Amino acid sequence: MSTAIKAYAVPEVLVSTDWVAQHLQDPSVRIVEVDYEPETAYQLGHIPGAVLINWKQDINDTVRRDIVSKEGFEKLMGRLGIKPETTVVLYGDFRNWFATYAFWVFKIYGHKDVRLLNGGRRKWIDEGREMTEEVPTVEPTTYRCHGIDLGLRAFLPEVSYAYQRDDVKLVDVRSPAEFKGEITAPPEYPTEAAQRGGHIPGAVNIPWAQAVADDDTFKPVDELRQLYEGKGVTPDKTIITYCRIGERSSHTWFVLKYLLGYPTVINYDGSWSEWGNTVGLPIEKGE
Amino acid sequence: MKGRVGEASFEAAMSTEAELTLTAGEASEPRGPRMVVDLRGREEMCGASPVNFAIRALKELPLGGELEVLTGVREQTFTLVQWARKNGYEVCELEESGREARIRFRRRAAKAAGL
């Protein structure tokens, strides 16, 4: 483990590309690529031996607009050949956003040893490491969850109460344009836009990308501490992260909870697509 | 943002944050100007990546048409080259400089693409 990784609060949750390269054949490790768009990622090439989680289909319940159910998660783990004791390493497209979302879901369902590839797919490719189109054959398992931690997830009723509290800080990790209300969704996805643009009153804007270096690895712990504490996001508060649908905010959730070791960090996956569309909830616009 | 390619206009369906440049490149062959998509410095948005913009431009190429893509990270280069190889496009040129690359694609004629 590198010195930089050791300095994080919970360094075990992060692995380097070197570590992954050394564990490609390790039967106790399952490498999982989590993609929003597998057709332009996993299906074109992935880390040898990696299996796929299709974010839209596998980790979400698109009918309920919810994360995958406990039973669905157990089935998914079984299909991917994962046991409760397996070390799972996640990485993926879109700069690890959806991998950290999956990490969050793995933690909700109590998987003990789940880790994130520091720098993700982008760094693996940048280093010229081996990629393959071969889909591995895995032996299915029977997986049972041991406990569910819903304390990691914020729902609208609690956010609509919490945003007014002094001991709670909301972190909006979207781009400044989204925070200010200039845009509400990517133009390619107009149906996913919120009715209103802006942010939850009192939230601070710290775009997710400010936590990573050019190669998508996380910044050193001192820089991260300065970044968040400098905007009033301190460990004595309950921190709620949000974005548009909860995936970029899971990246910041990961940083605050595991790299900085904040005791209470909660991801609000309803995020702006819920708050911005809800009748009667206040919003702020501008800086 | 609108770029013009010959007489055709091409609207970039991206936000100002992820605005992409599409310009008419210099003609290298008599068949006319080549489109250029510049992905350098462009960021992923929620559910929309710069690579998808380039793929959409590739899909809109006429048979035999060419597109030049400037990428800013190797992941984009890898994705586009792999996608092109699988979808009936020829990678005519690939120049890499650090993490950046200039890739020239040509949409194969139907027969050559096995269509």
Side-chain angles (χ1 to χ4, degrees):
Chain A
M1 190 183 290
S2 73
T3 310
I5 288 184
K6 275 182 189 168
Y8 295 129
V10 190
E12 310 85 72
V13 297
L14 212 51
V15 295
S16 65
T17 48
D18 279 341
W19 189 95
V20 170
Q22 289 159 13
H23 289 81
L24 292 177
Q25 308 296 330
D26 186 340
S28 69
V29 174
R30 178 71 71 215
I31 300 163
V32 182
E33 178 160 329
V34 185
D35 286 339
Y36 182 76
E37 291 175 338
E39 60 277 12
T40 55
Y42 184 88
Q43 289 169 14
L44 297 178
H46 49 265
I47 295 175
V51 293
L52 170 69
I53 287 181
N54 181 327
W55 184 82
K56 292 176 202 163
Q57 296 171 14
D58 295 334
I59 211 85
N60 285 286
D61 181 332
T62 53
V63 175
R64 286 171 51 87
R65 196 203 159 171
D66 203 347
I67 62 170
V68 64
S69 67
K70 172 177 168 288
E71 293 73 24
F73 184 79
E74 290 173 342
K75 274 186 193 166
L76 175 64
M77 296 299 99
R79 177 164 64 79
L80 299 179
I82 294 171
K83 302 172 186 170
E85 64 271 23
T86 302
T87 296
V88 176
V89 175
L90 304 173
Y91 75 102
D93 65 356
F94 278 86
R95 306 183 71 180
N96 261 352
W97 298 346
F98 297 95
T100 50
Y101 185 101
F103 185 103
W104 173 68
V105 173
F106 271 73
K107 283 301 178 190
I108 286 174
Y109 288 123
H111 192 85
K112 194 173 174 189
D113 190 359
V114 55
R115 310 179 190 191
L116 189 71
L117 171 57
N118 198 13
R121 180 180 168 87
R122 179 173 288 196
K123 183 168 171 63
W124 183 271
I125 292 172
D126 200 40
E127 293 174 346
R129 295 183 185 270
E130 185 184 356
M131 296 286 277
T132 181
E133 292 175 47
E134 190 180 330
V135 176
T137 305
V138 297
E139 191 175 333
T141 59
T142 301
Y143 187 99
R144 291 288 172 262
C145 293
H146 298 289
I148 300 176
D149 186 358
L150 284 178
L152 303 177
R153 188 181 191 197
F155 292 91
L156 181 64
E158 67 186 286
V159 180
S160 62
Y161 167 72
Y163 83 93
Q164 304 172 76
R165 294 176 58 107
D166 292 337
D167 58 349
V168 174
K169 198 73 183 171
L170 272 78
V171 184
D172 185 323
V173 313
R174 298 174 299 161
S175 64
E178 290 170 285
F179 182 82
K180 285 187 263 184
E182 293 167 358
I183 57 172
T184 56
E188 284 191 335
Y189 297 85
T191 58
E192 294 183 18
Q195 291 285 315
R196 304 172 295 170
H199 56 268
I200 299 175
V204 290
N205 184 211
I206 309 177
W208 74 275
Q210 292 185 10
V212 295
D214 284 346
D215 63 355
D216 273 6
T217 58
F218 292 102
K219 287 181 177 172
V221 70
D222 289 344
E223 284 183 43
L224 293 175
R225 196 171 288 126
Q226 197 175 359
L227 171 66
Y228 292 100
E229 290 191 1
K231 292 212 171 181
V233 182
T234 48
D236 57 311
K237 295 175 183 145
T238 293
I239 309 299
I240 299 176
T241 59
Y242 76 93
C243 56
R244 191 173 68 87
I245 55 171
E247 91 295 13
R248 285 174 287 180
S249 55
S250 64
H251 191 278
T252 298
W253 168 86
F254 178 89
V255 170
L256 292 169
K257 185 167 183 65
Y258 292 100
L259 305 188
L260 292 180
Y262 282 26
T264 312
V265 191
I266 311 170
N267 187 31
Y268 170 38
D269 58 308
S271 278
W272 192 253
S273 59
E274 182 176 48
W275 188 283
N277 278 321
T278 302
V279 174
L281 286 178
I283 65 165
E284 285 178 351
K285 284 182 175 287
E287 305 263 340
Chain B
M1 185 279 290
K2 287 189 178 180
R4 294 196 69 79
V5 182
E7 289 303 307
S9 78
F10 191 110
E11 187 160 2
M14 304 290 278
S15 74
T16 50
E17 182 187 44
E19 192 174 76
L20 294 161
T21 307
L22 181 66
T23 55
E26 287 181 17
S28 59
E29 294 173 42
R31 62 166 59 94
R34 193 167 63 226
M35 291 194 298
V36 179
V37 173
D38 189 350
L39 306 181
R40 293 171 301 175
R42 305 305 176 186
E43 295 294 331
E44 276 78 4
M45 285 196 70
C46 192
S49 74
V51 158
N52 285 347
F53 180 83
I55 287 175
R56 206 169 65 236
L58 282 167
K59 284 178 177 173
E60 292 180 8
L61 274 182
L63 293 178
E66 290 192 357
L67 177 74
E68 188 172 293
V69 182
L70 307 173
T71 61
V73 291
R74 289 198 180 103
E75 184 187 21
Q76 293 172 345
T77 306
F78 173 85
T79 302
L80 290 171
V81 169
Q82 287 287 94
W83 185 89
R85 186 178 62 76
K86 285 190 157 193
N87 288 280
Y89 294 77
E90 184 184 349
V91 178
C92 308
E93 249 185 293
L94 172 58
E95 265 182 35
E96 291 185 279
S97 174
R99 286 177 175 158
E100 296 187 357
R102 185 178 67 83
I103 321 165
R104 185 161 59 88
F105 297 97
R106 181 184 297 135
R107 186 167 196 172
R108 290 196 180 103
K111 193 175 174 184
L115 303 173

